[in-house]
Amino acid sequence: MFTSSEENYLKAIFHLGITSNKGVSTNAIAKSLHTKASSVTDMIKKLADKKVLVYKKYQGVSLTSEGKKTAANIIRKHRLWEVFLVEKLNFNWDEVHDVAEQLEHIKSPKLINEIDALLGFPKYDPHGDPIPDKEGNLDQIEKSLLSTLAINEFGICVGVHDSSSTFLQFLDKQKIALGQEIIVVEKEDFDGSMVVEINKNKISISNKIANNLYIKKSQ
Amino acid sequence: MFTSSEENYLKAIFHLGITSNKGVSTNAIAKSLHTKASSVTDMIKKLADKKVLVYKKYQGVSLTSEGKKTAANIIRKHRLWEVFLVEKLNFNWDEVHDVAEQLEHIKSPKLINEIDALLGFPKYDPHGDPIPDKEGNLDQIEKSLLSTLAINEFGICVGVHDSSSTFLQFLDKQKIALGQEIIVVEKEDFDGSMVVEINKNKISISNKIANNLYIKKSQ
DNA sequence: AAATATTTTTAGTCTTGTCTAAATTTTAAT
DNA sequence: ATTAAAATTTAGACAAGACTAAAAATATTT
Ligand SMILES: [Mn+2]
Ligand SMILES: [Mn+2]
Ligand SMILES: [Mn+2]
Ligand SMILES: [Mn+2]
């Protein structure tokens, strides 16, 4: 068994390791957990003793398969709880993160399996992120940032890169939701801004927004 | 805000203080929390500093109204989660306690209010214990231990005193559930055992059982 | 009332998880 | 190849929450 703190470290390392194939750096973990590098070094040693990651001084860490499985399981719980909060308890997608951050540490296999069943075994969370299965496998849908689409390209909104409540509330205000079709109408080379059509409305999108919205291209 | 540990102490003191009007003793708290008296003394001082209880050395403690309100709120959460687990997630009444023990510490007013609403604002938990309202008021239904009933007295099963899973599973096996009518048919002076009629069956009940099942007498 | 037993508190220690400050190693720049 | 900068680790400290053993206070017997 792992403490909540250990689980948070594993989750952070999992997320950070998913992109690069090199070791995850102490500083990156510290930044992600809003803690100090020295605290990270301490915890890393403990987790290495527990065989969930491999650590070589000054070289960063990488999760063992045991560590990956444990981390994926916490992410599974986090995302299932997020779905539950939105689907069953009238939470908005910008309100779920902090509560899920607590709920993901509840220890009860039956609980999470029943939540999964109650929700009909969802595959994605409210932010479009995939929910790992019980073995920790997590399918990666191919998706592109809106900013990478060319004029006249179109697709479906399938996720957000930034899931801060300010960004999510902004999307709500603009009536942009996951599942909607979006087409690039104009694109400004100068600042990367674009005009898109969504919901039969043409709206202007800044580069920063376009860099945080994932689209599944239609062919 | 209180830590989970502080919340557990407040809850234990609330339960222990409900019967007696004297201060709750250090030893009683230690026993209830499976901890040592010295640990209790430490925590008591901290809680006294936080004004949730009054403490005079060697005299035991009693909760302030602030402390009572906080404790009642944790109990409210515990019992609402228990109802949720049974009503919505197919848990048996003997499986809910440990999970509720974790869930009661989740901090989110919206979460518990939505759970309350989803369940239709229940008044009792699966063990027949009353659920405090948001202000911490907790209505005490008048109920009697089965062991106090005389021959030919009858009533409805409304709660359990012991809610250990062994006892609850025993009741399941005997097909005794809350809400059922029960009549005392025979009573043995020697060992306090009795024969009762429930579900149109006559079954023999030991004194220990009769001392742990609450009945609401029908006049 | 004195002696004994029980309860409670104090003193000192331990673990977990965090921090700051200093030392060390690695990386980047001259 | 040095030197400077950045990243990382070590050393030492602290708070929370628990424990053991010993001291002090209260309660119970005789
Ligand atoms: Mn989240
Ligand atoms: Mn999410
Ligand atoms: Mn319970
Ligand atoms: Mn209960």
Side-chain angles (χ1 to χ4, degrees):
Chain A
M1 264 318 87
F2 297 93
T3 65
S4 292
S5 190
E6 289 171 335
E7 290 184 346
N8 285 335
Y9 274 87
L10 286 173
K11 194 167 55 126
I13 295 166
F14 184 94
H15 284 309
L16 291 166
I18 226 159
T19 40
S20 82
N21 38 5
K22 306 181 58 188
V24 177
S25 79
T26 303
N27 259 4
I29 299 168
K31 197 176 195 180
S32 148
L33 291 174
H34 305 104
T35 182
K36 295 299 154 76
S38 55
S39 308
V40 174
T41 304
D42 285 347
M43 181 59 92
I44 273 173
K45 288 173 180 169
K46 196 158 43 129
L47 292 173
D49 287 347
K50 290 196 176 183
K51 313 285 187 199
V52 285
L53 53 77
V54 294
Y55 164 55
K56 279 172 78 177
K57 269 192 193 178
Y58 296 99
Q59 303 309 127
V61 299
S62 55
L63 296 179
T64 63
S65 62
E66 184 62 25
K68 274 180 201 148
K69 198 176 159 184
T70 306
N73 197 254
I74 302 156
I75 292 165
R76 170 176 159 79
K77 290 196 277 179
H78 181 107
R79 291 180 179 168
L80 281 171
W81 278 114
E82 286 190 344
V83 176
F84 171 74
L85 295 172
V86 167
E87 295 295 317
K88 301 293 179 183
L89 297 189
N90 307 305
F91 276 63
N92 198 285
W93 67 340
D94 70 302
E95 301 177 300
V96 298
H97 190 75
D98 291 347
V99 188
E101 209 58 45
Q102 299 177 64
L103 287 164
E104 70 189 2
H105 301 295
I106 302 290
K107 266 91 179 163
S108 168
K110 180 172 167 85
L111 175 59
I112 202 63
N113 287 337
E114 291 287 345
I115 289 280
D116 194 20
L118 181 72
L119 298 171
F121 310 103
K123 292 267 173 291
Y124 297 94
D125 86 356
H127 312 106
D129 293 313
I131 297 171
D133 67 19
K134 289 181 193 178
E135 279 70 45
N137 307 305
L138 169 153
D139 62 45
Q140 281 297 36
I141 187 179
E142 89 291 356
K143 59 189 179 185
S144 323
L145 286 174
L146 174 55
S147 55
T148 66
L149 298 217
I151 290 183
N152 287 327
E153 273 197 300
F154 62 102
I156 308 284
C157 300
V158 292
V160 292
H161 181 67
D162 173 7
S163 60
S164 69
S165 60
T166 36
F167 180 54
L168 299 178
Q169 281 168 18
F170 170 85
L171 294 178
D172 284 345
K173 203 166 61 186
Q174 300 287 326
K175 304 259 191 295
I176 301 174
L178 301 192
Q180 289 174 326
E181 194 176 62
I182 192 166
I183 311 169
V184 179
V185 177
E186 288 178 41
K187 205 173 169 183
E188 201 58 65
D189 274 352
F190 178 63
D191 64 354
S193 71
M194 41 173 68
V195 174
V196 300
E197 188 178 315
I198 188 164
N199 272 332
K200 285 159 184 143
N201 277 94
K202 285 196 175 60
I203 60 178
S204 172
I205 295 283
S206 78
N207 182 246
K208 182 161 183 188
I209 303 302
N211 264 320
N212 280 298
L213 190 57
Y214 285 116
I215 309 297
K216 182 180 180 185
K217 288 188 202 173
S218 305
Q219 73 247 353
Chain B
M1 264 320 87
F2 297 93
T3 64
S4 293
S5 190
E6 288 171 335
E7 289 184 347
N8 285 334
Y9 274 88
L10 287 173
K11 195 167 54 122
I13 295 165
F14 184 93
H15 284 309
L16 292 166
I18 228 160
T19 39
S20 81
N21 38 6
K22 306 181 58 190
V24 177
S25 80
T26 304
N27 259 4
I29 299 167
K31 197 175 195 180
S32 149
L33 292 174
H34 305 104
T35 182
K36 296 297 154 78
S38 54
S39 308
V40 173
T41 305
D42 285 347
M43 181 59 91
I44 273 174
K45 288 174 180 167
K46 198 160 41 131
L47 292 173
D49 288 347
K50 291 196 175 184
K51 313 283 188 202
V52 284
L53 53 77
V54 292
Y55 165 54
K56 278 171 80 178
K57 270 191 193 177
Y58 297 98
Q59 302 311 128
V61 298
S62 55
L63 296 180
T64 62
S65 61
E66 184 63 24
K68 274 181 201 145
K69 198 176 160 185
T70 306
N73 197 255
I74 301 156
I75 292 164
R76 171 177 159 78
K77 290 197 277 180
H78 182 107
R79 293 180 178 167
L80 281 171
W81 278 114
E82 287 189 342
V83 176
F84 171 74
L85 294 172
V86 168
E87 295 294 318
K88 301 292 179 183
L89 297 190
N90 307 305
F91 277 63
N92 198 284
W93 67 340
D94 70 303
E95 302 177 300
V96 298
H97 189 75
D98 291 347
V99 188
E101 210 57 45
Q102 299 177 63
L103 287 164
E104 70 189 2
H105 301 294
I106 302 290
K107 266 91 179 164
S108 167
K110 179 173 168 86
L111 175 59
I112 201 64
N113 287 338
E114 291 286 344
I115 289 281
D116 194 20
L118 180 71
L119 298 171
F121 310 102
K123 293 267 174 291
Y124 298 94
D125 86 356
H127 312 106
D129 294 313
I131 296 170
D133 67 20
K134 288 182 195 179
E135 279 69 45
N137 307 304
L138 167 153
D139 63 45
Q140 281 298 38
I141 187 180
E142 90 289 357
K143 57 190 179 186
S144 323
L145 285 175
L146 173 57
S147 55
T148 66
L149 298 216
I151 289 184
N152 287 328
E153 273 196 302
F154 60 101
I156 308 284
C157 301
V158 294
V160 292
H161 181 66
D162 173 8
S163 59
S164 69
S165 60
T166 36
F167 181 55
L168 299 178
Q169 281 168 18
F170 171 85
L171 294 178
D172 285 345
K173 202 164 63 185
Q174 300 288 328
K175 303 260 191 294
I176 302 174
L178 302 192
Q180 288 174 324
E181 195 175 63
I182 192 166
I183 310 169
V184 178
V185 177
E186 290 178 39
K187 206 172 168 183
E188 201 58 63
D189 274 353
F190 177 63
D191 63 356
S193 69
M194 42 174 66
V195 173
V196 300
E197 188 178 315
I198 187 164
N199 271 333
K200 286 160 185 142
N201 278 93
K202 286 196 175 59
I203 60 179
S204 171
I205 294 283
S206 78
N207 182 246
K208 182 159 183 189
I209 303 301
N211 264 320
N212 280 298
L213 188 57
Y214 285 116
I215 308 297
K216 183 180 180 187
K217 287 188 202 173
S218 306
Q219 73 247 353

